[in-house]
Amino acid sequence: MTEHTVKAFGEELDALSALLSRMGGFSESMVADAVASVARRDTSLAQGVIGRDGRIDEMERDVEKQIVRLLALRQPMARDLREVLAAYRLSLEIERIGDLAKNIAKRALILNQADPVSLTRSVERMGKIVSSRLKDVLDAYGTRDMKGALTVWGGDEDVDEHYNSLFRELLTYMMADPRMITSCAHLLFVAKNMERIGDHCTNMAEIVHFLVTGEDMPNDRPKIDSLSQG
């Protein structure tokens, strides 16, 4: 491979990484706004999140097109191949996070038409934790920071604990006031979507670890006895 070819390939990999980073930042803003639309009962913000879903789908397709081109023209090997495959896998995770943010925003549209539920603040706290994990794993990808990825991966239990605590609180709230069952059920779906975003962040951390080391994570994903299982 000539020096010119190597340089061109490196520039194409940089462009792919930059596109993926933009896609990640876009999903990060969608998650933050979706959570805020629930916490603030902001219908217009929720509608904006829903409207942005098509853009993140377009970005995922752009990533895929660049990857197909790279594989066809450059036929990368070893570390370069890991870069390309990691970008593809990460784009799928990010696109799914965008879908989950849209789902949260759709629930917000319904919740905003009903009486407020005091536990909305608990949902907001969980959302901020998930948003922070998403930011951290995107930063880990941008800097190829294995330690940062491991920190996100090891923090999966924290999201599960918040979900389980919120699950119990909402059940108690529904039993105390049956009139709030519908709203609380929607908040449960919001919390479940946030838990799933946390799971996708963990998946992304595993991909970053593989990208940097060429090896899978040494142990199974940390997990507590989640009420969401089964």
Side-chain angles (χ1 to χ4, degrees), residues 12-181:
E12 289 173 351
L13 281 178
D14 289 343
L16 176 61
S17 180
L19 175 57
L20 192 64
S21 294
R22 288 196 298 273
M23 184 181 177
F26 197 80
S27 72
E28 192 178 339
S29 69
M30 285 181 69
V31 171
D33 287 349
V35 172
S37 73
V38 175
R40 302 175 194 166
R41 298 174 61 82
D42 190 330
T43 296
S44 62
L45 191 58
Q47 291 170 335
V49 172
I50 295 168
R52 276 182 270 168
D53 183 60
R55 176 57 184 144
I56 203 167
D57 290 342
E58 290 177 4
M59 296 173 82
E60 193 273 331
R61 288 192 293 270
D62 289 342
V63 169
E64 184 176 348
K65 289 176 184 177
Q66 285 199 24
I67 287 171
V68 169
R69 182 179 183 279
L70 276 170
L71 291 174
L73 297 181
R74 304 299 185 185
Q75 298 180 350
M77 300 295 291
R79 172 61 185 265
D80 290 337
L81 181 59
R82 291 208 310 272
E83 288 275 357
V84 175
L85 294 179
Y88 176 66
R89 293 170 61 193
L90 286 168
S91 72
L92 297 178
E93 299 289 343
I94 294 170
E95 191 275 333
R96 183 58 185 141
I97 287 172
D99 285 342
L100 292 167
K102 177 185 68 175
N103 291 345
I104 291 171
K106 285 182 175 180
R107 296 287 175 177
L109 294 180
I110 300 171
L111 284 163
N112 294 349
Q113 297 176 19
D115 292 335
V117 180
S118 62
L119 292 177
T120 300
R121 294 304 175 190
S122 296
V123 173
E124 183 180 19
R125 284 194 296 272
M126 183 179 176
K128 288 181 177 179
I129 292 171
V130 170
S131 293
S132 177
R133 295 188 73 230
L134 178 56
K135 179 183 183 303
D136 289 345
V137 76
L138 289 170
D139 287 346
Y141 168 70
T143 60
R144 305 304 190 263
D145 180 6
M146 185 183 70
K147 289 184 178 179
L150 285 170
T151 298
V152 173
W153 185 77
D156 192 50
E157 288 187 358
D158 191 29
V159 176
D160 289 338
E161 287 171 351
H162 274 79
Y163 174 77
N164 289 341
S165 176
L166 185 57
F167 183 93
R168 294 187 182 95
E169 286 183 89
L170 286 168
L171 284 182
T172 301
Y173 202 87
M174 285 188 281
M175 288 187 289
D177 187 355
R179 294 171 299 176
M180 303 304 294
I181 287 177

